[in-house]
Structure formats: structure tokens, C-alpha cells
């Protein structure tokens, strides 16, 4: 069972905000509580906000910069199809998936983990812009194979129509920062 916060809750909003906002809130709550209650209560009241500030700061430090993401995506675009598919396989294997390449299929990769089947299409990954047509093909394969999830991988832009189709049909789009994080390339020399 996975725990999820309501997207409009105070803690969810703070998790999407800059770390210093939670830190300032923790300091303010600590100071205000300390005026009226003992130190232990002030620490207790401020601690959730302090923990959120630490978590958000940790996430920010681990997130690559926009320039680094752009450079990684540029390097990804320079890969051959075979190198790119191998890099995707390695990325998903590192996340605990069993990865296979089905022959003569509408999908490029099949991912299995905990009895769940995920279908992946990455054939047109170098396209400058992706429309809805390849997503329709993936959706048809997804329904025919009764897979639990479908993923479309793209290094280029994804049109608004394609995004709307993906959202309406439960297709996960892997591109931009998520693609850069998934495909771990060896550092340039």
C-alpha cells in the first residue's frame, strides 16, 4: 500500500515548494510556540516542517540542473537505436524490473515486476515532435495484451494532443528530466 498526500494539503504544497519556505515556517512555529510553551513542545511543533525542509533540500541537491538535463538529452539523441534501447534496459533493470525485447511486436520492451506487465514503446524516440499516432498504437497493444501499464519514451517534444491522449488513456510519458535520470550515461571524457 502506497501512502499519498492530498495534493492541496499543507505538507504536499510544502513538498513542491523551495526548502527555505519550510525552514522559515519551522523557525516561525518554533519561535511562536516557545513564547507560550516549554522548549520540548516548541521542538515538537516545528519538527515536521524542519523534516520537510531537509527532505526538499535533499531532493533539490539530487536533481540535475536544466543545463545538465539538456546536455544528457543531447547525448541520448546521439546514441544509436541499439545503444539507446540497451541504456533503457539497464535503467529499468536497476529499478528492479525484468526486461525483455519481444520479437515482431508493436512494443519495444516488456517490463515485469511483482507480476505486473508494462509495455514500452521507444521506436520514434529521436523524433523532434511526437503526435498521438504512436500512442494510439501503444494503447491498442496495451489493451490487447492486458498489460497493467504502458510507457512511451521520447527524447523530443510531445504535442499537446499526444499529452491529452496519454492522460486520457493512462499512458505514462517518459521524457525530459525523467528520461535523463533513467538513462545513465557514462561521463564524457
Amino acid at each position: 500500500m502506497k501512502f499519498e498526500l492530498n495534493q492541496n494539503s499543507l505538507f504536499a504544497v510544502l513538498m513542491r515548494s523551495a526548502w527555505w519556505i519550510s525552514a522559515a515556517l519551522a523557525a516561525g512555529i518554533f519561535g511562536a510556540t516557545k513564547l507560550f510553551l516549554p522548549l520540548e513542545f516548541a521542538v515538537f511543533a516545528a519538527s515536521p516542517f524542519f523534516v520537510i525542509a531537509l527532505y526538499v533540500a535533499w531532493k533539490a541537491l539530487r536533481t540535475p540542473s536544466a543545463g545538465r538535463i539538456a546536455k544528457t538529452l543531447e547525448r541520448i539523441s546521439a546514441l544509436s537505436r541499439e545503444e539507446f534501447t540497451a541504456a533503457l534496459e539497464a535503467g529499468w533493470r536497476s529499478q528492479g524490473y525484468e526486461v525483455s525485447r519481444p520479437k515482431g511486436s508493436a512494443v519495444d520492451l516488456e517490463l515485469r515486476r511483482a507480476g505486473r506487465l508494462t509495455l514500452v514503446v521507444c521506436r520514434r524516440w529521436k523524433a523532434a515532435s511526437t503526435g498521438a499516432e504512436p500512442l494510439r498504437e501503444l494503447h491498442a497493444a496495451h489493451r490487447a495484451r492486458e498489460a497493467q501499464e504502458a510507457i512511451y519514451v521520447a527524447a523530443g517534444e510531445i504535442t499537446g494532443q499526444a499529452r491529452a491522449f496519454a492522460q486520457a488513456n493512462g499512458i505514462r510519458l517518459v521524457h525530459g528530466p525523467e528520461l535523463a535520470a533513467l538513462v545513465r550515461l557514462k561521463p564524457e571524457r
Side-chain angles (χ1 to χ4, degrees):
M1 184 162 112
K2 188 176 178 182
F3 176 75
E4 288 189 37
L5 290 173
N6 181 320
Q7 292 299 314
N8 296 323
S9 72
L10 174 62
F11 293 122
V13 170
L14 289 174
M15 298 278 261
R16 294 188 304 263
S17 302
W19 68 269
W20 58 267
I21 294 172
S22 295
L25 198 53
I29 289 172
F30 177 81
T33 307
K34 179 73 175 88
L35 291 174
F36 303 105
L37 297 170
L39 176 67
E40 295 81 19
F41 288 107
V43 169
F44 180 75
S47 63
F49 301 98
F50 181 69
V51 169
I52 289 173
L54 288 176
Y55 175 73
V56 171
W58 177 74
K59 271 183 31 181
L61 286 174
R62 294 192 63 220
T63 303
S65 68
R68 189 171 194 184
I69 290 170
K71 192 173 199 171
T72 301
L73 291 175
E74 184 179 306
R75 288 182 61 209
I76 287 171
S77 294
L79 295 175
S80 70
R81 178 170 160 67
E82 183 59 35
E83 291 170 324
F84 179 69
T85 306
L88 285 176
E89 285 182 36
W92 273 309
R93 279 197 179 100
S94 73
Q95 294 179 7
Y97 286 96
E98 288 179 35
V99 183
S100 63
R101 294 187 193 186
K103 299 283 185 210
S105 176
V107 298
D108 298 309
L109 298 172
E110 290 181 357
L111 311 178
R112 294 184 189 277
R113 181 169 66 181
R116 294 177 49 92
L117 173 64
T118 301
L119 303 178
V120 179
V121 169
C122 57
R123 286 190 181 125
R124 301 179 191 172
W125 63 280
K126 275 191 179 185
S129 180
T130 298
E133 188 55 37
L135 297 175
R136 285 189 184 93
E137 294 169 10
L138 174 58
H139 180 60
H142 177 231
R143 287 191 354 208
R145 296 283 308 276
E146 297 179 359
Q148 284 73 32
E149 188 176 18
I151 298 175
Y152 186 82
V153 179
E157 293 299 315
I158 298 172
T159 66
Q161 181 184 12
R163 287 178 192 278
F165 182 86
Q167 186 174 12
N169 293 288
I171 297 173
R172 187 172 129 208
L173 301 174
V174 173
H175 61 100
E178 187 177 4
L179 177 59
L182 177 64
V183 177
R184 303 271 182 199
L185 299 176
K186 292 178 183 169
E188 290 181 309
R189 294 177 204 207

